[in-house]
Amino acid sequence: MPWFALAAGKYTIKNGDEEYTADELAQVALHQPDRFSPTLRCARWSRNYLLPTITYYGGAAEIAYFAQTAEVYRILERPATPILPRASLTMIESHTGRVLERYGLDWRIYLLARKNVSAGPCC
């Protein structure tokens, strides 16, 4: 089914004239699930429902996303995917390392400054 728009308590198919109540849509989904396909927003849940993921390695934003969507797994009666933080490292090229040494700069100060800037409020 194409994308729906909600108006006056009814869902209307985009670029169409069919209207459905929430109960009618639930019945269509129950009896004709092939008329629906997951959007990008729910592809992860659909995929994990069919093929559960053992664990997921992600960055800070991905971990936050999973935390925000944990309720979906409860509704689907599936265990939430275990999430582990992705490894992170910083490589300093030899030339850059020599410049830092020449001026007595510690590369760890840069990482601390970067962490403090990214933790602050967005403009």
Side-chain angles (χ1 to χ4, degrees), residues 33 36-53 65-66 72-73 76 78 81:
F36 294 85
S37 65
T39 64
L40 182 59
R41 287 185 204 118
C42 63
R44 175 176 289 153
W45 304 310
S46 301
R47 184 177 55 245
N48 286 345
Y49 184 80
L50 298 171
L51 303 166
T53 304
Y65 173 77
F66 268 96
V72 174
Y73 291 100
L76 293 175
R78 291 292 216 204
T81 302

Side-chain angles (χ1 to χ4, degrees), residues 2-43:
W3 185 83
F4 292 96
L6 179 61
K10 294 215 175 207
Y11 294 90
T12 306
I13 296 177
K14 187 176 182 182
N15 300 327
D17 55 357
E18 298 177 60
E19 291 184 341
Y20 297 92
T21 65
D23 290 336
E24 290 170 336
L25 277 177
Q27 288 301 312
V28 173
L30 185 63
H31 299 293
Q32 299 173 328
D34 56 315
R35 292 184 64 189
F36 294 85
S37 65
T39 64
L40 182 59
R41 287 185 204 118
C42 63

Side-chain angles (χ1 to χ4, degrees), residues 52-94:
T53 304
I54 293 172
T55 192
Y56 182 86
Y57 289 89
E62 295 159 312
I63 291 171
Y65 173 77
F66 268 96
Q68 293 168 5
T69 60
E71 180 67 7
V72 174
Y73 291 100
R74 189 192 67 74
I75 291 169
L76 293 175
E77 298 177 353
R78 291 292 216 204
T81 302
I83 295 126
L84 297 173
R86 181 173 39 233
S88 176
L89 64 100
T90 300
M91 294 180 65
I92 299 175
E93 297 175 346
S94 59

